[in-house]
Amino acid sequence: MRSRMLSSVSGSGRDGRVSAAVVQQHFGSKPKSIDLIPPKGTRDFYPDDMQFRSWLFGKWRRVATAFGYETYDAPVLEHESLYVAKSGDEIKAQLFNFTDKGGRRVALRPEMTPSLARMVLARRGALLPSLPLRWSSIPQCWRYEKTTRGRRREHFQWNMDLWGVSGVEAEAELLAALVASFKSMGLSATDVGIKVSSRKLLACVFECVGLPVHGFVRACVLVDKRDKMPADELRAQLLLVLAEYEREPAGSELEACVDELLACLEVRSLAALRSRLETLLIGHIGLDAHQDERSRHQILEEGFRDCELLWELLGPQGYNIDGPGEVGTGCSWLEFDPSIVRGLAYYTGVVFEAFDRGHTLRAICGGGRYDALCSALLGEDSSKNKNKDKGTVIPAVGFGFGDAVIHELLEAKGLMPQLPPARARASHTLVWSPSGDFACARTGPQLRLLRSRVIQIVGLLRRTEVREDTPVTPEGGSGNGVECAFGSSLTAAEGARAMAEQGQSKQMKAILKRADRNGSRVVVLCTVRDLVDSNSFVVRDMYTKRQHLCSYNALVDKEGSAGFAEHFASLLL
C-alpha cells in the first residue's frame, strides 16, 4: 500500500521527482513555522539599534581610557561552580546552566567579576607582581529572571575593576569614573544619585544593636530587598532568620534589636549614625560582654573608618556627600545610605548603587569591594593547589553598569542622542555606475571595462579606509564606509521611475537623491563616457553640491606610493 502511494506521488512530478514539501503535504505532515520574535527577555539589534549601542559603548570606553584602564574579555560560557558557591542564592536561582555533551556543568555568565577573578588567578604569578591592575570590559551577561522595565534576561554590562589597592582610594576612583560617565551622557546630579555604604559598617551596626553575628550574611540578603517588600514583612523575615541563631527562644529582646537595626537603616548621615551607635554602647544596649570584649572605640573605628576616609577623599573632587552638592544643581552626586548592601555574597567592604531620582527604575549600576573573592575561589580548588594559596587576599573593587536601565533613563529624560540613520554611516562614500540597461548602446567590452574600473576605484577607496593609520572612532570604525552601487542597486520604485524616463540622467538624479537621503558625504559618478572614453570620473560633494573631474590614470599611477592616501582624500573632498 505504502509503495503504491509513494509511486503515485513520485509519478506526479516531472522525471518522477517531487519536493520534500509535496511529500509532507501528501502525508499530512506540516513543517512547523519558526518564531520570528527573539526568545523572551532577549533583543535583536538592527543597524539603527546598533547606533545607540555603539554610542553608549563609546562613552563607556572613553571614560575607561581616560582613567587608564585596559580592555579584557572572557568566554560567555563558564564553569557553573564559579557562581554556585560564591555569588549568592539569587544568582544561583537565575543561572542559565546545563550539562554539556562532555558531561561538564556549565553556565552562561550572569556577571563578569568571577570570570575576572579566575583569569587573574590563572596567571597570578605574572600579574600579581605588577599590581595594581586596571581592567575594563563590556560583556553580555545572562540571567533567567522576571522581565520588567529595564530588566532583561540578557544585557550588556560595562565593568571597571581595580585590583591591588587596599585603601578606599580605589573606591573614590571608580565613583569618580561613574560620575564622569553620567556627565558625558548629559545627566546631572538632579537626575541620578549614588548611594554609598559599607558591609563593614552594617556589620558594626549589627554588633552594636546586639544581633547574632552568625546571621549577618542571611540578614544582608533581606536588607538588600528592603525596597521590594513591605516594612512589616521585612521585620518578620529578619526575626524569623535571626531567631535561628539565638541561644535562647526569640522574644522581646530580639524584637527590640531588630527594631533598632531597622531604625539605623533609616539614618542618612554618617555622623548621625555614629552618634546613635555610641549612645547605644554607652547605655549598654545591644553589645554584651560575652559577645565581644573589644572596646567601643575599636568597634566603631573598624566599622566607620572606610566610609569616613572615603568622604574625605571625595570632598576635594567636588563629590562631597554631606556637602551642599554640585554647583548649580543643589544636589550631591553621592549620598550615604546604610541599607545599601548589594545582593552578591562576595562583597566585603564599601558598596555603592546608582539610582534615578525619579524612583521609577531599578538600580542603574552598582559595585563594591570584594577582597576575599580570590581566596574563596582558591579554597574550593584546594586539592589542586595543595592549599598553598588558600587564604590569599587580593584587594579588589569594581562595578557593573548595564545598558538596559540607562537606555530607559535617557529616553525618559529626553537625552537620547540624535544619531544619523545607520545607512548614512555605512554609505559615507557612494560609487555609482549605470547598469547595463542604460549602457546597452555601448559594446560588451566597453561595459566590462567600465565595471572593472569601477570595482578598482572602490577597492582603492576601501583599502585606503582600512589602512593601519586611518583614525578609528570609539564605535570601532573610521566612519567612512564605501558602497558600490551599479544602476540596478536602486530600489524597485526608484528603478521603475528611472526606467519609465528611459534616460541615464533620470537614473543619476535618482541615485543622487538616494545618496542625499542616506547622508552620503561623497558620490563618485562613473559613466562609460567619462571612465572609458576619457579615463576620468566625477566626484560630487553632497554637502556643498560641487563636483569636479578626476583623472583615473593619475589615481592608478599613484597607487602604492607615498602620499597615495592623502592624494586620494584630496580628490574626494
Side-chain angles (χ1 to χ4, degrees), residues 69 72 113 116 133-135 159-163 370 397-398:
Y69 283 64
Y72 77 100
T113 306
L116 170 60
L133 302 177
R134 287 178 168 85
W135 286 8
N159 290 262
M160 282 181 65
D161 293 85
L162 175 51
W163 285 57
Y370 52 95
V397 186

Side-chain angles (χ1 to χ4, degrees), residues 18 66 87 242 253 313 346 350 353 358 376 423 463 465 501 515:
V18 293
S87 293
L242 296 175
E253 184 177 346
L313 289 172
Y346 51 69
V350 171
E353 186 173 283
R423 184 66 177 163
R463 286 198 293 276
E465 288 301 324
E501 297 295 334

Side-chain angles (χ1 to χ4, degrees), residues 4 16 60-61 187 208 241 255 270 298 312 436 458 525 538 542 547:
R4 287 198 303 269
W60 286 343
R61 290 187 178 114
L187 294 164
C208 289
V241 167
E255 291 182 4
L270 191 62
Q298 287 176 311
E312 293 177 11
V458 170
L525 303 171
V538 174
M542 295 301 295
Q547 62 186 45

Side-chain angles (χ1 to χ4, degrees), residues 350-370:
V350 171
V351 287
F352 46 89
E353 186 173 283
F355 66 100
D356 79 290
R357 294 196 182 276
H359 301 286
T360 60
L361 299 168
R362 59 174 301 201
I364 302 170
C365 59
R369 179 168 289 275
Y370 52 95

Side-chain angles (χ1 to χ4, degrees), residues 82 85-86 114 117-118 120-121 124 128 163 346 348 370-383 385 387-396:
L82 199 60
K86 304 304 173 187
R118 176 184 58 74
V120 172
L121 288 175
R124 56 189 179 278
L128 297 188
W163 285 57
Y346 51 69
T348 57
Y370 52 95
D371 290 351
L373 180 56
C374 283
S375 175
L377 293 178
L378 287 174
E380 287 184 3
D381 200 26
S382 58
S383 61
N385 60 47
N387 290 322
K388 66 179 180 179
D389 292 310
K390 190 174 182 180
T392 299
V393 174
I394 307 175

Side-chain angles (χ1 to χ4, degrees), residues 208-219:
C208 289
V209 302
L211 289 170
V213 293
H214 296 299
F216 175 70
V217 174
R218 291 180 64 188

Side-chain angles (χ1 to χ4, degrees), residues 314-431:
L314 292 170
Q317 297 185 50
Y319 311 132
N320 193 327
I321 295 175
D322 287 328
E326 189 181 42
V327 176
T329 67
C331 290
S332 172
W333 279 100
L334 311 179
E335 62 182 52
F336 173 66
D337 186 343
S339 69
I340 298 299
V341 295
R342 300 293 294 164
L344 298 174
Y346 51 69
Y347 286 126
T348 57
V350 171
V351 287
F352 46 89
E353 186 173 283
F355 66 100
D356 79 290
R357 294 196 182 276
H359 301 286
T360 60
L361 299 168
R362 59 174 301 201
I364 302 170
C365 59
R369 179 168 289 275
Y370 52 95
D371 290 351
L373 180 56
C374 283
S375 175
L377 293 178
L378 287 174
E380 287 184 3
D381 200 26
S382 58
S383 61
K384 293 185 178 180
N385 60 47
K386 297 182 172 29
N387 290 322
K388 66 179 180 179
D389 292 310
K390 190 174 182 180
T392 299
V393 174
I394 307 175
V397 186
F399 67 72
F401 189 154
D403 68 329
V405 177
I406 193 63
H407 181 279
E408 296 284 349
L409 180 61
L410 292 174
E411 199 167 51
K413 296 290 182 181
L415 294 174
M416 289 291 287
Q418 298 300 310
L419 301 172
R423 184 66 177 163
R425 294 179 61 84
S427 57
H428 180 83
T429 299
L430 178 65
V431 180

